[in-house]
Amino acid sequence: MTLQRGFDITKSQQNPGDVPVVSSGGISSFHDTAMVSSPGVVMGRKGTLGKVFYLDRDYWPHDTTLWVKDFKGNDPRFVYYFLGTLNFLGMDVGSSNPTLNRNHVHPVPIVWPSLPVQQSISGILGALDEKIAVNERIAASADELALTLASSERWEKRIRLGEIAALSKVQQVPQEMSDDLVDHYSLPAFDAGKAPERCSPLSIKSGKFVVDSPAVLLSKLNPEIPRVWDVVPDNSVPSLASTEFLVLVPGLELSTHDLWSVVAQRKFLEVLASKVTGTSKSHQRVRPAEVLETEVVDPREFREVGVQIRDLAQSILVARRESKTLATLRDTLLPQLMSGRIRVKDAEKIVEDHV
């Protein structure tokens, strides 16, 4: 394959549209013009090294990425999976900001299968990813319906957010934890698809909030980009959240999705965006005290639809838990298929049982 550096574009240069602009951490915004036709494979070049993304629609690869300019007749989805197995951290040539040079990637020696084998492997792993995508569409539709049921246009009574939710401020320094895995709820993880990154605490650089019970995570950074996360921690591993989130614990016998359905309302988020402080637009924040003083719809107003909202929350939880299981299976099969430790036919049978 031939890798090419992406194209620079600032937020101010972007026009409203549906073309994804792919930065080193994933889709960061949308524009009205594409620079590359799909299918596409993009990986982080600066800041976040080696993270790989597959695009099934025309896109704009940002200057912070490398994109595959020429697949040389290979299966694009297989190329995506293959690149995801490589560790590029040892190729960092940046002084203060991690940077990947494509000229250092091209000479790397690899073992490469024939096109039919590529297509078989990408078909197996692609089936898992497609099921995950279906689950995400189910979750997104349920989220949208919950927001409609709790819409501020339907209910009149308002209440201060601080009357129905409390802030949890318990912090943990990850480096002081045992070297077991943790779920890290971060802004990039939210933007990548609302799944926490399961990683070693030693890879997390600064103190984080502890999330040890169901909560709503609300980003205080740049609220013009709404990030509201209804979180039910996996009790099998500790959960940590970026301190750029506010950890809101519901009160008044509310569920987290009751709280989420009022905090994620467009009008509430617009009010927060009007209360930001800071000179740099991309790093503006809203103060926690301002958030708690802001009015939301009183969720006690919609008790009759509360059961529906909670049923929707359960369907979302089921879909996302299944997606987590499928993603774990995909990530387990990926290196085994690439190395030949598991045969394609055996992997096909395993996947058939899950999809």
Side-chain angles (χ1 to χ4, degrees):
M1 72 199 76
T2 299
L3 296 170
Q4 180 68 46
R5 181 169 168 168
F7 309 92
D8 194 20
I9 186 171
T10 64
K11 286 288 180 67
S12 62
Q13 293 172 324
Q14 297 173 31
N15 301 316
D18 59 0
V19 174
V21 177
V22 188
S23 299
S24 60
I27 296 175
S28 57
S29 56
F30 292 87
H31 186 37
D32 64 351
T33 304
M35 291 296 286
V36 184
S37 298
S38 65
V41 174
V42 181
M43 67 178 182
R45 179 189 73 84
K46 199 164 189 176
T48 304
L49 296 192
K51 196 168 184 180
V52 188
F53 310 96
Y54 182 82
L55 284 301
D56 58 5
R57 51 179 165 159
D58 297 352
Y59 65 100
W60 183 301
H62 194 270
D63 179 57
T64 57
T65 68
L66 297 174
W67 59 281
V68 179
K69 184 178 181 179
D70 185 358
F71 288 99
K72 299 185 182 295
N74 293 293
D75 183 78
R77 191 180 281 270
F78 175 83
V79 170
Y80 156 70
Y81 289 123
F82 178 83
L83 287 175
T85 66
L86 302 182
N87 184 356
F88 294 101
L89 295 180
M91 297 184 184
D92 179 12
V93 295
S95 54
S96 58
N97 193 22
T99 304
L100 186 64
N101 187 322
R102 67 191 178 101
N103 293 323
H104 295 167
V105 179
H106 282 151
V108 173
I110 57 173
V111 176
W112 197 250
S114 64
L115 182 60
V117 175
Q118 293 176 36
Q119 292 168 334
S120 296
I121 292 175
S122 67
I124 292 169
L125 301 176
L128 294 171
D129 276 337
E130 286 167 11
K131 176 58 176 172
I132 291 171
V134 168
N135 284 346
E136 188 51 43
R137 288 195 290 271
I138 291 171
S141 297
D143 275 343
E144 186 176 349
L145 181 53
L147 286 175
T148 300
L149 291 171
S151 170
S152 54
E153 282 77 23
R154 298 185 61 186
W155 311 100
E156 296 181 359
K157 189 175 179 181
R158 300 289 184 271
I159 192 171
R160 289 187 308 103
L161 177 60
E163 295 182 55
I164 59 171
L167 279 181
S168 174
K169 299 181 181 180
V170 179
Q171 290 199 32
Q172 174 73 57
V173 178
Q175 288 81 357
E176 296 177 355
M177 303 174 69
S178 63
D179 193 19
D180 294 325
L181 296 178
V182 300
D183 277 346
H184 182 204
Y185 293 87
S186 64
L187 298 183
F190 179 93
D191 294 340
K194 298 183 182 178
E197 179 189 5
R198 185 156 288 187
C199 59
S200 166
L202 299 179
S203 67
I204 305 175
K205 295 181 180 179
S206 58
K208 303 295 176 182
F209 287 128
V210 175
V211 185
D212 54 8
S213 63
V216 172
L217 305 183
L218 172 64
S219 173
K220 61 184 179 182
L221 175 68
N222 193 11
E224 283 189 357
I225 303 174
R227 297 181 178 99
V228 189
W229 210 341
D230 181 8
V231 167
V232 178
D234 182 343
N235 293 328
S236 66
V237 297
S239 295
L240 302 176
S242 165
T243 52
E244 293 294 2
F245 283 114
L246 300 179
V247 182
L248 299 171
V249 180
L252 301 178
E253 299 181 354
L254 299 176
S255 72
T256 56
H257 215 63
D258 290 333
L259 180 59
W260 178 90
S261 65
V262 297
V263 174
Q265 292 288 329
R266 177 179 54 82
K267 286 189 175 181
F268 171 77
L269 295 171
E270 287 175 351
V271 172
L272 290 190
S274 70
K275 296 182 177 184
V276 294
T277 61
T279 54
S280 173
K281 188 171 182 180
S282 62
H283 289 84
Q284 289 178 331
R285 292 170 174 80
V286 61
R287 295 188 180 95
E290 292 271 12
V291 176
L292 294 179
E293 287 298 317
T294 303
E295 289 188 339
V296 295
V297 173
D298 186 348
R300 294 171 295 183
E301 280 276 279
F302 50 78
R303 290 294 188 189
E304 63 266 32
V305 299
V307 173
Q308 291 174 264
I309 290 176
R310 294 180 190 205
D311 286 345
L312 290 168
Q314 184 60 31
S315 67
I316 293 168
L317 183 62
V318 169
R320 289 192 169 140
R321 280 181 174 170
E322 182 185 41
S323 290
K324 183 180 288 188
T325 299
L326 295 174
T328 300
L329 175 59
R330 177 201 61 205
D331 296 343
T332 301
L333 288 176
L334 177 56
Q336 296 187 57
L337 282 166
M338 293 298 180
S339 66
R341 289 196 301 271
I342 185 172
R343 296 189 307 169
V344 168
K345 288 185 178 181
D346 293 334
E348 286 175 342
K349 293 177 182 178
I350 294 171
V351 171
E352 283 175 4
D353 292 338
H354 287 80
V355 299

